[in-house]
């Protein structure tokens, strides 16, 4: 399976924090670990950027060609 990053946006909306726990539990029950952000306020963006960088690094190292002397 291809790696995926599931992100829920709009966490700045009213009641979003209350709904987040239910969304997270539902997604966890099917094996998905979602992340939450607010693009408006910037909340959670650093964590998403770090997560994307980690996934890309792993993919790059898995697919890199090793040269033999």
């Amino acid at each position: 399976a291809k790696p995926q990053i599931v992100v829920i946006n709009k966490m700045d909306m009213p009641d979003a924090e209350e709904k987040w726990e239910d969304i997270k539990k539902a997604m966890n029950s099917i094996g998905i670990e979602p992340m939450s952000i607010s693009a408006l306020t910037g909340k959670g963006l650093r964590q998403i950027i770090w997560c994307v960088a980690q996934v890309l690094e792993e993919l790059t190292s898995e697919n890199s060609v090793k040269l033999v002397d």
Side-chain angles (χ1 to χ4, degrees):
K2 293 181 181 180
Q4 62 181 357
I5 300 170
V6 177
V7 180
I8 307 300
N9 190 20
K10 305 289 185 186
M11 293 304 292
D12 53 278
M13 300 295 290
D15 301 327
E17 288 293 330
E18 292 173 21
K19 293 177 182 178
W20 170 241
E21 288 305 316
D22 291 335
I23 292 168
K24 189 174 179 179
K25 285 178 187 176
M27 297 190 95
N28 285 337
S29 73
I30 58 172
I32 297 172
E33 184 63 40
M35 301 175 83
S36 65
I37 66 166
S38 168
L40 179 67
T41 66
K43 180 180 177 184
L45 292 178
R46 286 181 187 242
Q47 292 86 349
I48 297 301
I49 292 169
W50 184 85
C51 184
V52 169
Q54 289 294 108
V55 169
L56 289 174
E57 185 177 316
E58 290 170 14
L59 288 173
T60 302
S61 65
E62 288 174 7
N63 295 319
S64 65
V65 175
K66 297 186 180 187
L67 300 176
V68 178
D69 290 331

